Amino acid sequence: TAERDPGLTISAMRTPGMLPCMDARGLDVAIVGAGHNGLVAAAYLARAGLSVTAFERREIAGGACVTEELWPGVRASPGAYTLSLLRSEIVRELELPRHGLEVEVHEPYLFAPFPDGRAVVSWSDRRRTYQQLERDWSRADAEAYLAWSEVRDAAAERARPLMLEPPDRERWLHAIGPELLDGSIADELAGIPSEQVRVPFALQGLIGTLAAPEDPGTAFVSFYHDLGEAAGPPGAWGYARGGMGAVTAALRSAAET
């Protein structure tokens, strides 16, 4: 049998969609696509002592999680732009901070200004959001927001362990209930009196969909965004220093070393 060198190799596909000719006898695992999911898999396989090659069509690894020079002298993240749902277990086990990953919570998380000078502003600190809503809107809005967020926080704490298990509808139903799993974001927010306050929060349930706030399943779209911990505080989102390419650069470094 051929000797296999453990670790990761990134190989460019010369023709889109076509794997280059290679001798596979020295290879344990081939991964097609060097995006963030492929790099996570590659890192764990390499650490298990396997020889891994990830094949990427573009000249840069990272998939949608990259930093590129979009205009002369201007580098930005053209795809994914903020980080939370990368599992904290992955960050810890692959020692991504040691490989250069730095994440800062972006505060405020949500800012929705209105023509009359008022705004809906949310922070990772629920009490700070409460104070802003009470000041600009009403105590009733602030109290309803806090009640809504406390229910979500408790559900998220129960749900996070399920993110590391095979999908099981009954376990999710038991953890978060049918309203969050199958309901609409409009129904979930109905207890907040002011429509101007409800709408910015409702938009979080429509990200990446063609759905309306009243559609079933939109409550879970919003709730899913509360399950991350990669930025630090549970549910918070953050910016990676150097753009999202810093995330996949850290993953690649972890896989190659």
Side-chain angles (χ1 to χ4, degrees), residues 19 26 28 36 38 41 48 97 101 125 148 152 163 176 179 181 184 187 192 195 198 204 217 226 229 254 256:
L19 291 175
D28 293 308
H36 64 284
L101 181 62
D125 182 341
W148 169 74
R152 279 188 155 225
M163 300 283 282
I176 68 175
E179 294 82 7
L181 191 62
S184 73
D187 286 345
I192 298 177
E195 182 181 42
R198 294 196 304 271
Q204 306 305 301
D226 289 345
E229 297 176 294
E256 291 177 332

Side-chain angles (χ1 to χ4, degrees), residues 120-240:
V120 174
V121 186
S122 71
W123 310 78
S124 57
D125 182 341
R126 302 294 196 188
R127 296 301 305 184
R128 189 172 183 182
T129 305
Y130 175 99
Q131 292 166 0
Q132 192 278 329
L133 293 176
E134 183 182 33
R135 182 178 64 250
D136 272 18
W137 300 95
S138 71
R139 175 167 292 183
D141 285 299
E143 292 287 353
Y145 158 80
L146 194 60
W148 169 74
S149 63
E150 287 174 346
V151 168
R152 279 188 155 225
D153 288 347
E157 188 172 346
R158 297 189 297 270
R160 286 190 185 98
L162 302 183
M163 300 283 282
L164 300 175
E165 300 180 6
D168 186 318
R169 176 175 170 80
E170 293 306 313
R171 284 179 57 74
W172 278 88
L173 277 171
H174 180 74
I176 68 175
E179 294 82 7
L180 268 177
L181 191 62
D182 298 325
S184 73
I185 189 65
D187 286 345
E188 194 194 357
L189 293 168
I192 298 177
S194 298
E195 182 181 42
Q196 297 99 318
V197 176
R198 294 196 304 271
V199 167
F201 289 111
L203 290 174
Q204 306 305 301
L206 310 181
I207 296 172
T209 76
L210 295 176
E214 297 80 11
D215 286 345
T218 51
F220 185 79
V221 174
S222 174
F223 175 71
Y224 190 76
H225 288 81
D226 289 345
L227 298 182
E229 297 176 294
W237 286 72
Y239 290 124

Side-chain angles (χ1 to χ4, degrees), residues 31-137:
I31 296 175
V32 180
H36 64 284
N37 289 317
L39 289 171
V40 168
Y44 278 100
L45 291 166
R47 287 193 167 209
L50 299 176
S51 173
V52 183
T53 295
F55 296 93
E56 173 56 46
R57 182 176 63 178
R58 299 190 66 210
E59 70 282 356
I60 180 174
C65 193
V66 294
T67 304
E68 298 185 78
E69 187 173 26
L70 302 182
W71 303 276
V74 179
R75 292 176 55 79
S77 303
Y81 58 91
T82 183
L83 181 69
S84 179
L85 292 168
L86 179 64
R87 301 302 307 155
S88 60
E89 294 86 354
I90 294 173
V91 175
R92 182 174 61 254
E93 290 169 3
L94 298 183
E95 303 176 280
L96 296 187
R98 187 170 68 85
H99 292 278
L101 181 62
E102 298 179 48
V103 183
E104 298 290 340
V105 176
H106 71 71
E107 300 278 25
Y109 174 61
L110 178 68
F111 173 63
F114 287 84
D116 63 3
R118 294 184 294 176
V120 174
V121 186
S122 71
W123 310 78
S124 57
D125 182 341
R126 302 294 196 188
R127 296 301 305 184
R128 189 172 183 182
T129 305
Y130 175 99
Q131 292 166 0
Q132 192 278 329
L133 293 176
E134 183 182 33
R135 182 178 64 250
D136 272 18
W137 300 95

